[in-house]
Amino acid sequence: MNYLTKTLLFGLFFVFAFLSCSESEINEMVFPGEDWEIMENPEEYGWSQEGLQKARELTDELDTAAIMVVHKGKVVDSWGDMEYKYRCHSIRKSFLSALYGIHVAEGEIDLDATMEDLGIDDNEGLSDNEKQANIQMLLQARSGIYHPALFETAAMTASKPERYSHDPGTNYHYNNWDFNASGTIYEMLTGELIHSSFDERIAGPIGMQDYVPEDGRYVTGEESQHPAYPFVMSTRDLARFGHLFLNDGEWNGERILPEGWVEESTSAHSVFDEDRYDQGGYGYMWWVSVDGRHFGSVDSVPEGTYTARGARGHVLAVVPDLDLVFVHRTDTAVSGQRTTYNDIGRVFDLVVNSLEVN
């Protein structure tokens, strides 16, 4: 073998090794340590900078406060304040759903236990029929208990079905009584306060950078015995929660959520029709795409997409088929600030379509 041939062979070897290494790095899922890793060359991962810029320009027209896009565990793009703790509104429910999975697996919570079994009641009294609703129905918003509830918007109260109009388990209705009573039951059965439990069992193990239990509070009132349990959370911490779900409840080799809980809780246990048809369906306190339907403003989202949502502009979207987490925040502590889910869907669609190589 002459010198020229050897040189060519060595050159081909190093090129092949480099390409193999690059491909391996691109396909590798990573987990943030003390901070998120920034994707240095998004184009190598298939991202269009032009597409991402269009998403930025759209948010300039909206009340968007922060966006974070994470692909394979690396930050593709972000804008706004990543550290500021925005109100989460109804995303609180997805946090509680995750905590439920841990205690169901540990045998402390039986999803078949009924309100009667647990001694759960409320100010106006639950009927014998209502007391047959079980915990699983509450997580699915299918209890049929339309008792007054705390922390409801005026629209939620106005749209609530007539009391006693549906048997337990027969009708989906997004209902704060179900979600708040789920909080009462969680604390009663586990002996843990929700916000401290979230810190110990999820936020701490996945290295949330900003969350402390004091970022949660309770809302009480005369309408009901069951308080709401709001959270505030930074955008970068909310993205960690999404990355945990993207990886089936595992974090860098450690199982945080029990095997199967992510799939169970983000499956469509209710499929919407009529006024919510274009939103897809609902799992255990997660909004779930059905046949590509998820945001009314988007013709189709990637298969398997699901979201946690909070009033007036908060969305955490997980897209398993693309190894993608998308977070949208609005500063709803500021009067009048609001971004609709349809508009967030438009931003989400631009971001997803910026990933040209899947």
Side-chain angles (χ1 to χ4, degrees):
M1 184 182 297
N2 62 35
Y3 175 79
L4 179 60
T5 303
K6 288 182 179 180
T7 301
L8 288 172
L9 287 174
F10 275 115
L12 289 172
F13 171 79
F14 282 117
V15 168
F16 177 77
F18 173 77
L19 291 175
S20 299
C21 179
S22 298
E23 183 177 355
S24 175
E25 289 177 355
I26 288 173
N27 290 326
E28 180 185 7
M29 179 71 76
V30 300
F31 292 83
E34 293 184 1
D35 206 345
W36 286 90
E37 182 177 346
I38 307 299
M39 191 177 286
E40 294 182 0
N41 297 299
E43 295 89 348
E44 292 182 359
Y45 289 76
W47 286 93
S48 162
Q49 293 287 14
E50 181 181 358
L52 291 169
Q53 182 60 32
K54 288 180 180 179
R56 279 181 179 254
E57 291 171 357
L58 176 56
T59 61
D60 288 341
E61 303 172 11
L62 308 174
D63 284 336
T64 299
I67 292 280
M68 190 168 179
V69 181
V70 179
H71 182 215
K72 296 185 181 293
K74 297 182 180 181
V75 179
V76 179
D77 204 354
S78 64
W79 54 98
D81 193 333
M82 297 296 106
E83 300 179 32
Y84 179 76
K85 297 178 182 181
Y86 298 98
R87 296 177 179 179
C88 291
H89 298 278
S90 289
I91 290 178
R92 68 185 175 102
K93 299 157 189 175
S94 301
F95 298 154
L96 182 62
S97 174
L99 289 173
Y100 257 91
I102 296 170
H103 291 279
V104 167
E106 292 179 355
E108 294 178 337
I109 295 178
D110 177 3
L111 295 182
D112 292 328
T114 66
M115 302 304 101
E116 184 175 50
D117 297 334
L118 299 167
I120 295 295
D121 212 328
D122 212 336
N123 294 339
E124 296 182 7
L126 300 185
S127 70
D128 289 343
N129 192 40
E130 287 175 322
K131 289 181 180 179
Q132 302 315 303
N134 62 28
I135 296 174
Q136 185 180 52
M137 295 173 191
L138 268 61
L139 299 182
Q140 298 169 339
R142 299 184 66 90
S143 76
I145 301 173
Y146 305 128
H147 186 285
L150 295 162
F151 213 49
E152 287 187 330
T153 64
M156 290 174 70
T157 302
S159 67
K160 188 175 292 188
E162 184 179 349
R163 189 86 184 270
Y164 316 118
S165 59
H166 296 280
D167 289 334
T170 63
N171 182 63
Y172 165 85
H173 181 77
Y174 189 79
N175 179 11
N176 264 18
W177 193 92
D178 289 2
F179 307 133
N180 295 343
S182 295
T184 298
I185 292 167
Y186 178 85
E187 294 191 340
M188 179 180 74
L189 295 180
T190 67
E192 299 179 9
L193 299 177
I194 291 170
H195 307 102
S196 297
S197 183
F198 186 83
D199 182 51
E200 177 184 348
R201 293 186 175 268
I202 295 177
I206 69 175
M208 284 189 176
Q209 295 163 268
D210 308 302
Y211 179 79
V212 292
E214 291 75 22
D215 291 334
R217 63 187 178 94
Y218 295 93
V219 175
T220 59
E222 297 179 356
E223 295 90 343
S224 174
Q225 297 174 12
H226 306 294
Y229 39 90
F231 286 67
V232 295
M233 186 173 289
S234 69
T235 298
R236 63 186 185 179
D237 279 355
L238 187 53
R240 283 189 188 241
F241 183 69
H243 196 54
L244 172 67
F245 267 72
L246 178 66
N247 288 279
D248 192 37
E250 287 193 1
W251 193 266
N252 204 19
E254 179 183 358
R255 179 151 291 284
I256 308 299
L257 305 179
E259 188 173 358
W261 184 255
V262 169
E263 180 179 2
E264 173 69 10
S265 60
T266 62
S267 295
H269 297 282
S270 298
V271 177
F272 301 152
D273 54 16
E274 298 176 359
D275 60 330
R276 284 193 180 271
Y277 177 80
D278 58 4
Q279 299 296 312
Y282 203 71
Y284 292 174
M285 300 184 184
W286 286 90
W287 301 84
V288 183
S289 65
V290 176
D291 297 330
R293 295 181 279 111
H294 201 53
F295 292 107
S297 56
V298 178
D299 290 338
S300 182
V301 300
E303 184 69 25
T305 297
Y306 54 91
T307 55
R309 301 185 183 184
R312 294 167 46 207
H314 300 275
V315 166
L316 164 64
V318 181
V319 189
D321 278 3
L322 302 182
D323 292 327
L324 180 70
V325 173
F326 166 89
V327 181
H328 182 283
R329 312 304 299 274
T330 296
D331 192 356
T332 47
V334 177
S335 177
Q337 295 290 294
R338 178 186 182 88
T339 312
T340 67
Y341 294 130
N342 277 353
D343 282 337
I344 297 170
R346 292 166 59 206
V347 178
F348 172 81
D349 194 45
L350 286 172
V351 168
V352 166
N353 286 317
S354 298
L355 182 56
E356 297 173 337
V357 179
N358 302 332

